[in-house]
């Protein structure tokens, strides 16, 4: 995406929860303390419902887009308006809630990113050898000023870049959250979907549509998204888990064998 298409971001925190900084380096032993196979590979049961597939969105004419924007702006109670550009595109704000369970990684040579760092737009290092992990504030809210042609993948990449997060963007996904009949539904946006267009079509209601950034926990693990130390760490953890399971199984059968032998000795002969 060229310079003219780079989205600008207005970021605000709505959570007072502070980040949990771990100050851990990207060595094999320290990785084990916060990035385990169990937290990364095991899927947790979800109470909310997932919706499959990409949503079909209608192509609006210039007049329809202009009317939609007028209707949208008339319904909001803030200054987060949408604006139509001369080329037919439009700009506006989307709100993204962060629901990240695992810590993120930043270059260890840098201090943990503050909100001021994010606004300055400090870029991510392209060659990071040592990293520090920390937890982003739980349920933090970001208001992002984006273009109508800004894609979901670009939103994720820009968020990570603003906070100097060096984790692979494929580890994260942007979700659409909707509420219907008292039930909450989540749908993972494809890389090419345009969040601002979805916002315009749905209107300003947060129940009708909101955006959430979460870990990209799919049915299959994308091993290419992990670094070499992380992959070696997974192998060690899996080996330890396998050894522990074997120990428990052998111990179980040993106890059972002992009980049977005790019962045989207690039986009278003949």
């Amino acid at each position: 995406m060229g310079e003219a298409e780079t989205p600008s971001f207005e970021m605000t925190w709505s959570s007072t929860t502070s980040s949990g900084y771990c100050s851990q380096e990207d060595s094999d032993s320290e990785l084990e303390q916060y990035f385990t196979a169990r937290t990364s590979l095991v899927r947790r049961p979800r109470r909310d419902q997932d919706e499959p597939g990409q949503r079909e969105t209608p192509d609006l004419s210039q007049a329809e887009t202009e009317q939609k924007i007028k209707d949208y702006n008339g319904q909001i109670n803030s200054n987060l308006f949408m604006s139509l550009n001369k080329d037919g595109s439009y700009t506006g704000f989307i709100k993204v809630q962060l629901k990240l369970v695992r810590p993120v990684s930043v270059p260890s040579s840098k201090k943990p990113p503050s909100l001021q760092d994010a606004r300055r737009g400090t870029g991510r290092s392209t060659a990071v050898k040592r990293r520090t992990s920390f937890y982003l504030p739980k349920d933090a809210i970001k208001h992002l000023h984006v273009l109508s042609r800004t894609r979901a993948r670009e939103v994720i990449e820009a968020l990570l870049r603003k906070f100097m997060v060096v984790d692979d963007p494929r580890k994260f996904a942007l979700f659409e959250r909707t509420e219907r009949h008292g039930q909450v539904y989540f749908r993972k946006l494809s890389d090419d979907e345009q969040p601002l267009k979805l916002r315009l079509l749905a209107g300003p209601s947060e129940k009708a549509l909101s955006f959430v950034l979460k870990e990209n926990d799919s049915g299959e693990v994308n091993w290419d998204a992990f670094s070499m130390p992380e992959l070696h760490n997974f192998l060690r953890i899996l080996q330890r888990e396998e050894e522990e399971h074997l120990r428990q199984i052998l111990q179980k059968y040993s106890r059972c064998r002992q009980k049977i032998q005790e019962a045989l000795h207690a039986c009278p002969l003949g």
Side-chain angles (χ1 to χ4, degrees):
M1 185 174 63
E3 283 297 320
E5 297 182 13
T6 302
S8 60
F9 289 83
E10 301 286 341
M11 295 192 175
T12 57
W13 296 104
S14 70
S15 172
T16 57
T17 306
S18 61
S19 300
Y21 297 101
C22 300
S23 297
Q24 293 169 324
E25 302 288 324
D26 189 11
S27 66
D28 292 351
S29 60
E30 288 162 336
L31 270 171
E32 297 175 23
Q33 298 179 31
Y34 73 93
F35 204 44
T36 66
R38 187 174 302 279
T39 58
S40 299
L41 307 182
V42 177
R43 301 186 69 189
R44 297 177 178 85
R46 292 176 177 171
R47 286 176 292 179
D48 301 322
Q49 300 294 318
D50 286 340
E51 291 188 323
Q54 182 171 339
R55 177 170 299 176
E56 292 291 334
T57 56
D59 291 325
L60 302 177
S61 65
Q62 180 85 354
E64 289 172 329
T65 301
E66 186 174 358
Q67 185 60 47
K68 279 278 189 184
I69 292 175
K70 183 178 179 180
D71 295 341
Y72 181 94
N73 291 340
Q75 297 177 55
I76 61 175
N77 298 318
S78 66
N79 61 348
L80 304 180
F81 299 109
M82 291 194 188
S83 302
L84 184 65
N85 301 321
K86 292 181 179 180
D87 62 357
S89 65
Y90 49 96
T91 59
F93 293 85
I94 60 172
K95 185 169 77 171
V96 180
Q97 181 182 22
L98 273 67
K99 278 190 169 294
L100 300 178
V101 178
R102 298 188 286 274
V104 297
S105 301
V106 298
S108 62
S109 59
K110 297 188 178 291
K111 65 180 180 179
S114 64
L115 183 58
Q116 288 72 27
D117 293 329
R119 284 176 173 165
R120 283 196 294 267
T122 306
R124 290 196 296 163
S125 172
T126 56
V128 179
K129 293 183 179 181
R130 304 183 71 83
R131 298 185 290 180
T132 300
S133 65
F134 72 100
Y135 289 89
L136 287 174
K138 185 179 180 181
D139 293 332
I141 299 294
K142 309 285 187 302
H143 287 92
L144 296 83
H145 190 235
V146 298
L147 295 166
S148 56
R149 58 178 173 264
T150 301
R151 299 176 299 157
R153 179 51 51 186
E154 292 171 313
V155 169
I156 296 171
E157 291 173 350
L159 278 171
L160 299 182
R161 186 166 58 249
K162 293 290 183 179
F163 286 94
M164 298 182 290
V165 175
V166 296
D167 293 312
D168 194 302
R170 291 174 295 177
K171 291 183 181 180
F172 306 91
L174 192 63
F175 285 80
E176 171 191 89
R177 181 186 185 275
T178 57
E179 294 183 33
R180 296 194 300 271
H181 310 296
Q183 179 67 54
V184 175
Y185 297 87
F186 283 94
R187 183 182 68 87
K188 185 168 73 171
L189 271 61
S190 67
D191 289 350
D192 293 328
E193 288 191 76
Q194 300 163 331
L196 189 62
K197 183 177 182 180
L198 296 174
R199 175 82 280 165
L200 178 62
L201 293 172
S205 171
E206 291 295 315
K207 289 188 176 181
L209 178 126
S210 61
F211 297 107
V212 180
L213 182 70
K214 300 197 293 183
E215 281 89 0
N216 190 13
D217 290 330
S218 58
E220 296 183 0
V221 178
N222 182 10
W223 296 112
D224 292 335
F226 294 98
S227 65
M228 288 294 291
E230 289 170 340
L231 293 173
H232 284 300
N233 185 52
F234 286 145
L235 288 176
R236 284 199 306 275
I237 293 171
L238 290 173
Q239 182 179 355
R240 285 205 301 265
E241 289 187 356
E242 180 184 6
E243 292 172 352
E244 176 62 21
H245 284 306
L246 287 174
R247 187 191 66 80
Q248 292 176 3
I249 291 172
L250 291 173
Q251 190 176 56
K252 173 184 175 181
Y253 281 96
S254 177
R255 286 197 301 266
C256 184
R257 186 180 298 107
Q258 183 179 354
K259 294 293 184 182
I260 294 174
Q261 290 174 346
E262 290 175 355
L264 285 173
H265 290 310
C267 289
L269 296 176

